[in-house]
Amino acid sequence: MKVYIETFGCKVNFADSADILTMLANNSYEIAKDPEEADLYIVNSCSVTHRAERECRQIVRRFKNINPKAEILITGCSIKSEEFRDRASDIPFAKLIPFDDLLEYLALHKLEDIKPKFNRSRPFIKIQTGCDRFCSYCIVPHLRGKPQSVGKGIIIHRIEEALKQGFEEIVLVGTHIMLYKDPEGNGDIFDLLQRIEEMNYRFRLRLSSIEPYGITSDTIRLLMKSKKLCRHFHIALQSGSNRILRDMNRQYTKEEFEALISDIKTLIPQSTIGSDIIVGFPTEREEDFEETLETIRRLPVDYLHIFRFSPRKNTPAYNIKPVSTPAEIKRRAGILKKISFEKRRDMVLRSIGRDMDVVITDIDQSISSGITDNYIKVNIHKTGLKRGGMLRVRLISINPDNSANGEII
Ligand code: SF4
């Protein structure tokens, strides 16, 4: 049987999909490269925004059109979302199956018993899932539950398999990775990083996005001890207005966030720092947005991921009447997008002329591209490179889309 998997949402979902692929491939399923070839579809869904849920239902209908006889399974966050379940009546042919029940449903062996396969050039290794922070706009704690960590032994085994298969960058992913605690009591995130550091392979390690809670200068100093960790941090701010941060139930101030980011830049000057901003939180007025703009302009962040507020049922923010119109929110998102572009451009320009390690992520007919440790996309006009392998590259120029051109040295 040929299976096609479609994944929406966060890096944790992509890591889960890689696990599903491994289990399928080890249980005599064939993996379809295109939806047209498949007779079983698995949609790993996301419920963080309305849009993600809508796209999930759209793809399910598309798969039904491609192969009306195929079985379509939906797993992931959406199946626990009340709104999604209500609307799923328009796709009655799809089965909703919790991620943990997929194994049994498809008669798959457990991942621990088999050799992991990785479908990305930089394997995502899930170390943790869940969150109990309850930010007022966020549905994740309702869907993924309390923080749960993967055993240190399992993580090390998966990383080792990826390294043996020749991958030279590993990305640790989780909903809240700094909350990592080995379930057997064998330490926290720093113990895990220390254990990974001791692995005797040539590779580098990247942390997926982190929350600012509990991160101090001491945390950064501890992280700096690592020789393998990428100089790239993605830390969510969400708003540059203290009033909105309070309404969001984010338990820090913009001043505390600013101090953290400045510390990182002082301690690791070549680091790249990205952040998330939500525009159009229902209590956000024009003056709050102006405050966010001022904060962002001042902060030494190098790029932003900008999200428009999406009301999620069962969260406190769902019931607040918005004070701004959709057109105002769209305009605000556009302004931030422009600032983000300019900040990223400055960051890339500062790196032109430098020699950096680039992990190859994509290979085309005449051009390959990859990522530096400080998160710059680099195009290399050379073929025959190995996906997932690391090369020393000199960055020679910048492109209009803020990627760089590089030469292997
Ligand atoms: S910290 Fe807040 S935004 Fe992040 S997953 Fe937890 S509740 Fe959601």
Side-chain angles (χ1 to χ4, degrees):
M1 182 173 274
K2 275 198 160 182
V3 193
Y4 184 82
I5 300 192
E6 184 76 37
T7 308
F8 291 93
C10 64
K11 290 192 170 81
V12 176
N13 259 18
F14 281 88
D16 284 342
S17 289
D19 286 353
I20 301 173
L21 272 178
T22 297
M23 292 186 278
L24 290 165
N26 279 277
N27 285 271
S28 356
Y29 284 87
E30 260 187 87
I31 307 303
K33 287 209 170 70
D34 297 304
E36 284 70 20
E37 300 169 2
D39 36 22
L40 168 66
Y41 297 94
I42 299 176
V43 179
N44 195 2
S45 61
C46 168
S47 266
V48 166
T49 60
H50 274 298
R51 189 173 157 187
E53 286 191 349
R54 194 176 57 236
E55 286 173 357
C56 171
R57 293 200 314 280
Q58 280 167 352
I59 201 96
V60 166
R61 278 193 289 270
R62 192 177 148 231
F63 292 158
K64 181 73 179 165
N65 283 337
I66 293 174
N67 184 351
K69 289 195 185 135
E71 185 168 29
I72 305 175
L73 308 178
I74 306 177
T75 190
C77 287
S78 294
I79 66 166
K80 292 188 197 150
S81 152
E82 205 181 311
E83 281 171 287
F84 182 83
R85 293 184 79 96
D86 288 349
R87 294 199 174 127
S89 54
D90 64 354
I91 44 169
F93 42 84
K95 282 199 182 90
L96 310 188
I97 303 209
F99 185 77
D100 292 340
D101 296 346
L102 258 185
L103 246 72
E104 204 182 329
Y105 186 82
L106 296 169
L108 303 177
H109 297 302
K110 271 200 201 148
L111 187 63
E112 282 82 67
D113 306 335
I114 53 183
K115 204 179 169 81
K117 278 196 167 46
F118 303 97
N119 58 341
R120 308 182 69 89
S121 41
R122 300 178 300 134
F124 288 177
I125 305 288
K126 182 171 82 172
I127 65 166
Q128 183 276 347
T129 183
C131 176
D132 52 7
R133 282 278 171 186
F134 290 96
C135 298
S136 67
Y137 54 85
C138 183
I139 190 77
V140 170
H142 303 270
L143 304 176
R144 288 204 173 258
K146 291 200 170 112
Q148 299 160 47
S149 299
V150 179
K152 190 151 82 175
I154 295 171
I155 297 169
I156 297 300
H157 167 70
R158 289 186 190 171
I159 294 177
E160 186 139 39
E161 283 297 332
L163 300 176
K164 280 186 193 158
Q165 290 173 36
F167 294 101
E168 294 192 272
E169 180 176 317
I170 300 294
V171 186
L172 297 186
V173 305
T175 313
H176 214 326
I177 54 176
M178 298 310 279
L179 293 183
Y180 179 80
K181 285 234 165 355
D182 175 65
E184 308 284 323
N186 292 319
D188 59 11
I189 181 75
F190 297 106
D191 297 295
L192 175 66
L193 292 176
Q194 176 59 38
R195 176 68 188 84
I196 297 172
E197 189 81 18
E198 288 159 8
M199 297 178 82
N200 202 11
Y201 292 85
R202 183 182 115 107
F203 71 104
R204 70 187 188 199
L205 185 68
R206 194 180 299 274
L207 301 181
S208 65
S209 70
I210 52 184
E211 292 286 350
Y213 301 110
I215 304 181
T216 61
S217 305
D218 287 343
T219 316
I220 304 303
R221 283 197 178 84
L222 274 172
L223 292 177
M224 273 178 62
K225 285 189 182 166
S226 167
K227 291 198 169 51
K228 296 201 167 5
L229 204 61
C230 291
R231 300 164 302 165
H232 168 219
F233 301 94
H234 190 96
I235 311 176
L237 170 62
Q238 308 301 21
S239 172
S241 148
N242 284 336
R243 192 178 76 83
I244 300 301
L245 285 174
R246 254 192 325 272
D247 289 355
M248 288 176 162
N249 194 28
R250 303 284 292 178
Q251 288 149 25
Y252 53 85
T253 61
K254 66 175 178 185
E255 289 79 12
E256 286 164 345
F257 187 88
E258 193 165 352
L260 169 66
I261 301 300
S262 304
D263 275 355
I264 298 176
K265 282 286 183 182
T266 308
L267 292 166
I268 318 171
Q270 302 289 323
S271 59
T272 292
I273 302 177
S275 193
D276 295 335
I277 295 287
I278 296 174
V279 284
F281 187 80
T283 57
E284 183 187 81
R285 302 166 307 206
E286 190 58 25
E287 52 266 43
D288 301 305
F289 176 67
E290 287 296 330
E291 211 182 319
T292 293
L293 271 187
E294 197 188 301
T295 308
I296 292 296
R297 286 203 175 102
R298 202 175 51 238
L299 275 177
V301 291
D302 299 298
Y303 68 90
L304 301 170
H305 287 166
I306 300 138
F307 302 90
R308 286 193 232 169
F309 172 76
S310 180
R312 308 282 49 212
K313 211 168 171 180
N314 297 324
T315 62
Y318 181 80
N319 297 315
I320 308 173
K321 195 165 175 284
V323 294
S324 302
T325 64
E328 282 165 338
I329 295 166
K330 190 173 173 199
R331 180 184 56 82
R332 289 174 196 166
I335 295 171
L336 281 174
K337 218 170 148 192
K338 198 158 170 275
I339 294 176
S340 172
F341 184 87
E342 285 159 6
K343 280 183 172 271
R344 190 188 276 274
R345 192 156 190 86
D346 287 348
M347 181 270 286
V348 177
L349 281 170
R350 285 197 300 274
S351 296
I352 299 299
R354 292 183 197 274
D355 299 342
M356 299 198 179
D357 289 331
V358 171
V359 167
I360 302 301
T361 51
D362 295 289
I363 297 170
D364 216 327
Q365 279 181 344
S366 61
I367 193 167
S368 305
S369 58
I371 292 282
T372 63
D373 82 313
N374 65 343
Y375 213 49
I376 296 173
K377 183 182 172 195
V378 182
N379 298 323
I380 303 163
H381 290 267
K382 192 160 176 34
T383 51
L385 303 179
K386 186 173 138 256
R387 261 180 96 236
M390 189 154 51
L391 297 164
R392 195 78 180 150
V393 171
R394 180 161 301 152
L395 273 53
I396 50 172
S397 59
I398 186 168
N399 294 309
D401 67 354
N402 283 348
S403 62
N405 296 309
E407 279 174 358
I408 299 171
I409 53 172

